[in-house]
Amino acid sequence: MDIEQIVGGNGVILAIAVFVIICIYLGVRIVPQSQKYVVERFGRLRAVLGPGINFIVPFLDRVAHKISVLERQLPNATQDAITTDNVLVKVETSVFYRITEPEKTVYRIRDVDGAIATTVAGIVRSEIGKMELDQVQSNRAQLISQVREQVAAMVDDWGIEVTRAEVLDVNLDEATRAAMLQQLNAERARRAQVTEAEGKKRSVELAADADLYAAQQQAKARRVTAEAEAFATSVIAEAIQKNGLEAAQYQVAIRQVEALEAVATGDGKQTVILPANALEAFGDAFRMFKGRS
């Protein structure tokens, strides 16, 4: 009896020890940094365990879901959309998201990736339907911002944060591409013609400005010449008034001598024809100059 009692007592202790070990094993949960655990008690949400060591009630609580909180990328999706000017485009999108509230994600949505992809497709079609093709091509940053904001607002109830939503490409069918290329070539030709016309116009304006400037300079030169001649005439008139007829005759003789000198120094002049009174002009000028001196 004593041996049986001892064995029986040790068995109880061993059973208790095994039970304690099992309770510790079931009650302690170590959660990795990249995950969160959703704990249920009798089928109802009990708690969400964060990274590190956590304790739950054995046999009552259980870890129902292990949710990764790492950022995820949906496969690139392509959807058709029609712009306000009735152009069919194929839009390729890419979405990055992460789960921030696992309890909402687990109990409010079944297929997270499918729900987000459907939401993005609807929002992209709606936003492109408000824009013309040129606006879609030129305002892609604005389109991406609007898509990101609306997607973030839609998935907030699912405990999901959309970190990035990108419009990777906007493709057109061949007919639309050909029409756009033709339009682009026509626009380039028009710009070239406008540039050429503006160049000709500018050339005419510069030529007119040059002619005007030349005319102004000629007018200034004529005015200066006229003023010089007027001054010389006044000087001669004053000299005639002071010295009488001899001063006038002296000026006439000087002009005749200068004219003969110009004729004699001309290019290709081998023979010089002098007027009959040329020698008299030299003589008169010499006598007048001698008399004046």
Side-chain angles (χ1 to χ4, degrees):
M1 291 296 296
D2 295 336
I3 297 176
E4 293 179 356
Q5 291 179 356
I6 294 173
V7 172
N10 292 334
V12 172
I13 295 173
L14 182 60
I16 294 174
V18 171
F19 178 77
V20 171
I21 293 174
I22 293 175
C23 290
I24 294 174
Y25 175 78
L26 296 178
V28 176
R29 288 291 182 268
I30 298 177
V31 182
Q33 182 68 38
S34 60
Q35 293 183 345
K36 286 185 178 181
Y37 288 178
V38 177
V39 178
E40 293 180 351
R41 177 177 294 179
F42 302 117
R44 298 184 60 181
L45 175 65
R46 176 68 179 83
V48 176
L49 306 182
I53 186 170
N54 297 269
F55 299 96
I56 60 175
V57 178
F59 306 107
L60 298 181
D61 298 339
R62 71 182 185 92
V63 176
H65 305 279
K66 297 180 179 181
I67 305 299
S68 174
V69 295
L70 296 177
E71 188 172 1
R72 310 178 189 183
Q73 179 185 7
L74 290 180
N76 294 348
T78 302
Q79 51 265 348
D80 296 337
I82 300 177
T83 62
T84 55
D85 48 353
N86 295 324
V87 177
L88 178 64
V89 296
K90 293 183 179 297
V91 184
E92 184 179 1
T93 58
S94 177
V95 178
F96 293 80
Y97 74 94
R98 66 187 185 91
I99 297 175
T100 56
E101 298 178 85
E103 63 276 16
K104 292 183 179 180
T105 307
V106 169
Y107 298 110
R108 293 187 180 182
I109 190 71
R110 180 181 296 274
D111 185 2
V112 178
D113 292 352
I116 296 177
T118 303
T119 302
V120 171
I123 292 174
V124 168
R125 291 192 184 100
S126 175
E127 291 300 323
I128 290 181
K130 303 176 184 178
M131 306 170 68
E132 295 183 354
L133 178 60
D134 293 340
Q135 294 176 334
V136 174
Q137 297 286 359
S138 59
N139 297 333
R140 185 173 298 184
Q142 180 181 356
L143 175 62
I144 292 173
S145 176
Q146 293 175 351
V147 170
R148 184 185 296 116
E149 291 178 1
Q150 294 194 30
V151 171
M154 293 288 292
V155 302
D156 183 64
D157 291 339
W158 300 337
I160 296 172
E161 178 187 4
V162 175
T163 56
R164 290 179 60 189
E166 301 291 341
V167 176
L168 301 179
D169 197 6
V170 179
N171 298 315
L172 307 174
D173 56 88
E174 294 298 329
T176 305
R177 287 180 181 273
M180 290 185 64
L181 181 61
Q182 184 177 1
Q183 180 182 2
L184 180 61
N185 292 334
E187 179 65 18
R188 289 176 178 174
R190 184 190 68 82
R191 291 182 180 179
Q193 292 177 356
V194 170
T195 302
E196 183 179 0
E198 290 179 350
K200 291 181 179 179
K201 177 183 176 182
R202 185 58 180 168
S203 176
V204 171
E205 290 177 351
L206 292 176
D209 291 341
D211 293 340
L212 177 61
Y213 180 77
Q216 292 176 348
Q217 296 301 317
Q218 290 177 1
K220 290 180 181 180
R222 290 176 182 176
R223 185 180 64 183
V224 172
T225 303
E227 291 176 354
E229 291 179 353
F231 178 75
T233 302
S234 64
V235 172
I236 293 172
E238 184 179 357
I240 292 174
Q241 184 178 3
K242 290 182 180 180
N243 300 321
L245 185 58
E246 291 182 357
Q249 293 176 348
Y250 173 74
Q251 291 296 327
V252 172
I254 291 298
R255 293 292 184 270
Q256 290 178 348
V257 172
E258 292 177 352
L260 292 175
E261 182 181 0
V263 171
T265 58
D267 295 338
K269 297 297 188 297
Q270 302 297 331
T271 304
V272 179
I273 301 175
L274 298 178
N277 60 347
L279 296 177
E280 295 179 0
F282 280 109
D284 294 341
F286 180 74
R287 285 195 302 272
M288 291 179 183
F289 179 75
K290 185 177 180 181
R292 290 174 61 89
S293 61

